[in-house]
Amino acid sequence: MRSLKVILFDYHSLLYNPGNFSSYDEILKASRNPETTWDYIFKYKREAKHFFLDLDQTGLLKDVVSEEMFFNKLENDLSKAKIYPDVVGGLEKLKSQEYKIGVVGDLPRTYLHLFPSDGFFSLVDHFCFSCDNGGLRMDSYEFFTIIEQFFEESFYKMILIANKEILRDSVVRETAINLLEMDRNKGTDDREVVHSMSEVLSRLYTP
């Protein structure tokens, strides 16, 4: 895999307990159309502190939702997210080999700060989340086209390291991007699956 130039990680490969969006449950229950409301959440472009005022003006809610309760639950969700201890060291080794690093995922903007800042952000060349691209989801070809354009490299020179739920998506497979399954929970003994950053480094033939 020496021809690789870009390594993309799904954020689940870097964080454990990354939050399950439970803080939005009450909003969805109070909405007139949960699907439309969830779409609005993913496309929301401003800081979380403006969220409730903007949401109220959309007319999507039929019932009142406690703003205080929402942010308490959101903070609780985010507090559970921790970076795996092997991530920073692993990324440092990849950067020393002159790989470009990207982090991808389906996240609302209010969740972006769940990533630790110390020694992490400086190692990532680009975060490509749905909230930064008009609400595009990872199951859209347009999403990966944006990644290709940003890094100015073809899919053949990229590898996406992610869990099996993402990798089995037909759109991901149609991009011709290299794929590597990562299972942090070690739920499989498949030799084609990696479980840690050291195994990622070994698979990429990186000393």
Side-chain angles (χ1 to χ4, degrees), residues 34-195:
E35 183 176 350
T36 301
T37 303
W38 191 237
D39 186 56
Y40 175 83
I41 292 170
F42 266 93
K43 292 181 179 180
Y44 189 70
K45 289 288 187 179
R46 304 178 71 195
E47 294 180 19
K49 63 182 180 181
H50 304 293
F51 177 70
F52 259 81
L53 177 61
D54 293 347
L55 181 62
D56 184 62
Q57 294 176 347
T58 65
L60 289 171
L61 300 183
K62 57 182 174 59
D63 299 316
V64 177
V65 178
S66 168
E67 182 173 355
E68 181 180 3
M69 180 181 296
F70 167 77
F71 281 108
N72 284 341
K73 286 187 175 181
L74 179 60
E75 183 178 352
N76 183 59
D77 271 356
L78 298 179
S79 68
K80 297 175 183 176
K82 306 293 182 183
I83 191 170
Y84 284 103
D86 62 354
V87 168
V88 171
L91 293 182
E92 287 176 341
K93 290 180 180 179
L94 293 174
K95 293 294 288 185
S96 71
Q97 297 293 313
E98 299 184 351
Y99 288 113
K100 296 177 181 177
I101 306 297
V103 177
V104 301
D106 287 336
L107 285 177
R109 177 168 294 279
T110 50
Y111 276 72
L112 290 184
H113 67 283
L114 94 188
F115 287 94
S117 57
D118 294 340
F120 179 76
F121 280 101
S122 62
L123 297 171
V124 179
D125 294 285
H126 185 54
F127 290 87
C128 191
F129 289 142
S130 59
C131 59
D132 293 324
N133 296 286
L136 291 177
R137 303 295 292 271
M138 280 190 67
D139 55 5
S140 70
Y141 189 80
E142 291 79 8
F143 183 87
F144 284 92
T145 299
I146 289 173
I147 295 174
E148 184 181 40
Q149 292 172 347
F150 178 84
F151 284 106
E152 298 182 340
E153 297 285 357
S154 68
F155 288 135
Y156 296 102
K157 294 184 179 181
M158 298 183 186
I159 186 169
L160 172 62
I161 301 172
N163 60 40
K164 63 181 179 181
E165 285 75 17
I166 293 174
L167 297 188
R168 68 187 176 193
D169 186 271
S170 60
V171 173
V172 174
R173 295 186 175 278
E174 289 170 5
T175 61
I177 195 171
N178 295 281
L179 304 175
L180 178 60
E181 181 180 340
M182 191 169 196
D183 175 21
R184 284 289 194 172
N185 296 321
K186 299 183 179 181
T188 176
D189 294 326
D190 190 334
R191 293 184 179 181
E192 297 302 314
V193 179
V194 297
H195 307 93

